[in-house]
């Protein structure tokens, strides 16, 4: 179930859980997914006891999501889903990047914070938020109250098919980001939310008071900037071909968040090691279809099994 030994501590992830319906030349396939769900499972596979707080329906899709999380040892605290479980139809664009069309449940997703959820948040060493409806003020208010005092790792992860008000999304996101220990952003986030480049967005977030900003730029690698300094890392070169980039960003966030469970590095060398490990994990995740986090070690173990060694 897990691929690493737990360093101690616990995590909570808040956001989306859904079914990815993949359509391409190979046909139609379904995977349990969602950015927050991928991060939660990734953290658990890295040895961190993890709870996911997300909207999941009482339907067939919801049963698949629950079974998947149980298989990976992730505790689910589910919010009611008035329109059933979320679903994304995923197709490939001309350049190979995924394109998403979301059902009504995903577009109108909501998260509620029961006493059980609040207790899990209070007991967590890190709370990660990904693919959250920051453009809904009531959702932002509820989230802000629920995570008051928590150490936060945030990935805005805006999906154009779920984004209803860009300016409101930016306001909600920046309200929570200003108090975060870590914010992860990518080049697509800069394009969708700010019409600007990634370096400018990284500087803006640091100016808001974000403790550390992780900026991922696809094939150009990533930069992590904190008070201790700025470090960069290229895409990791691992054996095997890149099969699927879906989940790479989620794996990167999970790997860095896992490294923060016991506290942030004090020196730039610690941040550099954390980023390099995250890039290795992201590269390994790209060696298989779907968003399940892989590590270089898990790939090597699988390869030994194939060859009987």
């Amino acid at each position: 179930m897990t691929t690493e030994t737990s360093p101690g501590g616990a995590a909570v992830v808040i956001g989306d859980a859904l079914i990815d319906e993949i359509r391409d030349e190979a046909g139609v396939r379904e995977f349990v997914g969602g950015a927050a769900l991928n991060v939660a499972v990734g953290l658990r596979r890295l040895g961190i006891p993890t709870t996911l707080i997300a909207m999941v329906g009482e339907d067939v899709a919801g049963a698949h999501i629950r079974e998947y999380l149980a298989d990976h040892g992730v505790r689910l605290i589910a919010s009611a889903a008035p329109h059933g479980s979320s679903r994304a139809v995923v197709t490939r664009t001309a350049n190979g990047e995924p394109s998403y069309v979301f059902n009504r449940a995903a577009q109108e997703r909501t998260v509620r914070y029961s006493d059980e959820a609040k207790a899990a948040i209070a007991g967590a060493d890190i709370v990660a938020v990904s693919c959250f409806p920051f453009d809904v003020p009531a959702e932002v208010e509820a989230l802000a109250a629920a995570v008051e005092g928590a150490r936060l790792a945030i990935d805005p992860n805006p999906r154009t098919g779920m984004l209803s008000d860009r300016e409101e999304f930016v306001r909600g996101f920046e309200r929570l980001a200003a108090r975060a220990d870590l914010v992860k952003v990518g080049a697509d986030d800069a394009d969708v939310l700010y019409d600007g480049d990634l370096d400018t967005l990284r500087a803006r977030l640091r100016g808001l008071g974000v403790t550390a900003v992780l900026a991922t730029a696809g094939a150009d690698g990533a930069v992590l900037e904190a008070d201790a300094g700025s470090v960069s890392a290229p895409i990791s070169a691992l054996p095997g071909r890149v099969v699927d980039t879906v989940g790479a960003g989620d794996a990167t966030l999970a790997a860095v968040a896992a490294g923060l469970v016991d506290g942030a590095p004090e020196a730039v060398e610690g941040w550099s090691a954390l980023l390099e490990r995250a890039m290795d994990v992201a590269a390994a995740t790209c060696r298989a279809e779907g968003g399940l986090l892989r590590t270089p070690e898990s790939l090597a173990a699988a390869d030994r099994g194939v060859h009987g060694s």
Side-chain angles (χ1 to χ4, degrees):
M1 177 172 57
T2 61
T3 58
E4 297 191 357
T5 301
S6 173
V12 164
V13 183
I14 302 170
D16 63 331
L18 50 76
I19 297 296
D20 281 323
E21 182 180 314
I22 311 293
R23 299 182 179 181
D24 56 23
E25 65 280 356
V28 179
R29 302 172 309 289
E30 292 189 353
F31 294 92
V32 174
L37 181 144
N38 287 340
V39 173
V41 172
L43 280 162
R44 187 67 192 98
R45 285 176 61 79
L46 294 171
I48 309 298
T50 302
T51 297
L52 174 66
I53 300 173
M55 186 188 79
V56 178
E58 297 292 341
D59 49 19
V60 173
H64 289 319
I65 291 168
R66 287 179 169 85
E67 181 180 20
Y68 182 86
L69 290 170
D71 286 346
H72 287 285
V74 174
R75 174 191 180 198
L76 173 66
I77 300 177
S79 292
H83 303 298
S85 297
S86 300
R87 176 176 291 268
V89 177
V90 186
T91 56
R92 297 290 177 183
T93 60
N95 64 1
E97 289 298 312
S99 174
Y100 299 85
V101 176
F102 297 93
N103 68 355
R104 182 183 180 186
Q107 293 176 19
E108 299 179 16
R109 66 202 187 284
T110 185
V111 179
R112 294 291 178 262
Y113 304 93
S114 62
D115 290 343
E116 183 185 14
K118 292 175 182 176
I121 292 168
D125 296 280
I126 194 83
V127 176
V129 181
S130 185
C131 206
F132 186 85
F134 285 111
D135 50 352
V136 181
E139 295 289 331
V140 175
E141 287 290 342
L143 174 64
V147 300
E148 182 68 36
R151 296 176 63 225
L152 294 177
I154 300 176
D155 183 350
N157 217 336
R159 305 292 194 187
T160 54
M162 292 192 284
L163 187 64
S164 61
D165 187 328
R166 187 177 79 159
E167 291 183 1
E168 190 63 52
F169 190 103
V170 169
R171 279 193 292 271
F173 160 57
E174 291 189 350
R175 174 181 172 183
L176 272 297
R179 52 197 261 200
D181 286 61
L182 174 73
V183 171
K184 175 198 165 293
V185 288
D188 51 349
D189 300 326
D191 289 339
V192 170
L193 296 178
Y194 294 90
D195 293 327
D197 65 53
L198 193 54
D199 290 337
T200 300
L201 176 54
R202 190 174 80 242
R204 177 184 179 90
L205 292 170
R206 286 285 289 157
L208 289 174
V210 180
T211 302
V213 178
L214 170 62
T216 60
D220 293 327
V223 175
L224 202 162
E225 183 176 340
D227 290 343
S230 179
V231 297
S232 62
I235 291 293
S236 296
L238 297 180
R241 66 183 183 90
V242 172
V243 174
D244 189 357
T245 60
V246 170
D250 303 330
T252 305
L253 176 61
V256 176
L260 297 179
V261 164
D262 288 333
E266 295 182 358
V268 70
E269 292 81 8
W271 286 108
S272 181
L274 197 56
L275 179 59
E276 289 177 8
R277 176 59 177 168
M279 298 304 285
D280 286 347
V281 168
T285 300
C286 291
R287 264 59 184 178
E289 188 175 32
L292 181 65
L293 180 146
R294 272 89 170 174
T295 65
E297 296 80 12
S298 69
L299 293 181
D303 186 58
R304 286 195 298 273
V306 168
H307 295 287
S309 58

